[in-house]
Amino acid sequence: LYLTRNRWSYLFPIPSYVYGRLPSSFSSDLESGLSSSHFDLSTNIEAGDSRQGLDQRGKVEVQSIMKSRKVGFDEARRIYTERTFAINNIGADGRPRDPKFVSFS
């Protein structure tokens, strides 16, 4: 199989996410394009933030949205947030869709 892999390997496409390593710190998140003027990671880096960076699952989703829809980071982050809201039964405006929800102002 190894010697003939060039003949049959194209039949089994390997997804791009298999080999792409995700950044694991704020500086590598910044270098990979997961930052913008509205979502600035440079302040975290300057402050010496020792956390691991952004959420791994969120990074995968945002990067896949950026690739598939050919949008920038801010738009991909908005789409990801709206999807997450919809899954958790929250409206696009941030209010719960639960009919029993009561809010006091």
Side-chain angles (χ1 to χ4, degrees):
L1 287 174
Y2 179 77
L3 296 174
T4 61
R5 73 181 183 277
N6 291 332
R7 294 183 187 165
W8 55 264
S9 64
Y10 71 92
L11 297 172
F12 303 102
I14 299 173
S16 62
Y17 64 85
V18 172
Y19 291 110
R21 295 203 90 168
L22 290 172
S24 60
S25 67
F26 286 119
S27 58
S28 55
D29 289 340
L30 182 65
E31 290 171 3
S32 65
L34 298 175
S35 184
S36 70
S37 60
H38 300 287
F39 191 81
D40 189 17
L41 293 178
S42 62
T43 55
N44 294 62
I45 296 167
E46 291 169 1
D49 198 334
S50 62
R51 293 179 291 171
Q52 286 191 329
L54 303 174
D55 175 44
Q56 294 293 330
R57 193 180 83 221
K59 283 191 269 193
V60 171
E61 287 289 323
V62 168
Q63 285 181 332
S64 68
I65 292 169
M66 288 170 68
K67 287 179 184 177
S68 65
R69 296 193 180 192
K70 295 181 181 19
V71 295
F73 175 68
D74 286 329
E75 182 67 15
R77 196 168 55 96
R78 183 190 64 79
I79 293 168
Y80 170 72
T81 303
E82 286 179 354
R83 283 183 187 172
T84 307
F85 279 3
I87 290 169
N88 292 314
N89 202 21
I90 299 172
D93 59 355
R95 289 186 285 169
R97 293 183 186 157
D98 186 4
K100 298 181 220 168
F101 174 72
V102 178
S103 174
F104 299 100
S105 47

